[in-house]
Amino acid sequence: SYLMALERLKYTEEFQQIARAYNNLGDTYRQKKNWDEALKCFAKSEDYGGKGGWLNMIAWARFNSAMVLVEKGSLPEAESLLQKSEASLAQIGDRTGMAGAKHAWGKLYAAHGKAVLIDRAYTEAIEMYKALKTPFSGAECHYELGMAYKKLGNRAKALDNLRIAAVMYTDLKLDKWAKVAKAAGIKEQ
């Protein structure tokens, strides 16, 4: 659908809509773990966001790129993008974007193994997602937090977060995702 939207927008000057489509397509690639395609889409989103004067989308493309860069092991670059993104989001008061940035910080701190900072960033993201009524993103944070605690050897916190993620995914009728969270929790027991 996003590719079709981009095809239809190709010869227009609807830069904000093009930026949104690239950001959403990049997020789809991110969830599929296709890191290089995700980064290409986020770069285009940032570019078109700039052409359209859409500061929110520029900031979103940056924190989404940071999430991918964490997965690729490019932590300094991810941190730099997150700092720029968060500064812009705070300036314009984008609460949804701030939740995404906190989520990205959680991923970055998890990559560094900084337990206190992991917990703080993910907890802030989860609370923001709850207030914004975006349960999928909240479930994703609980899953990632559970996996981070698993890696750090904190079995109790890992199991708690993986169970919460599984329940949230089940409530959203995302059975495939729920099975993944349950399986990670079972391995933890």
Side-chain angles (χ1 to χ4, degrees), residues 1-24 48 54:
S1 295
Y2 298 129
L3 290 170
M4 195 175 350
L6 286 165
E7 187 61 32
R8 290 181 178 160
L9 291 165
K10 188 184 335 187
Y11 300 108
T12 72
E13 291 188 12
E14 296 288 331
F15 299 132
Q16 290 186 356
Q17 296 307 317
I18 295 169
R20 180 193 310 268
Y22 272 119
N23 187 68
N24 291 344
Y48 280 102
W54 197 8

Side-chain angles (χ1 to χ4, degrees), residues 63-84:
F63 75 69
N64 280 323
S65 292
M67 285 188 180
V68 174
L69 289 168
V70 168
E71 297 292 347
K72 291 181 64 115
S74 301
L75 304 184
E77 189 179 355
E79 186 169 353
S80 175
L81 281 175
L82 273 173
Q83 289 169 345
K84 291 175 187 173

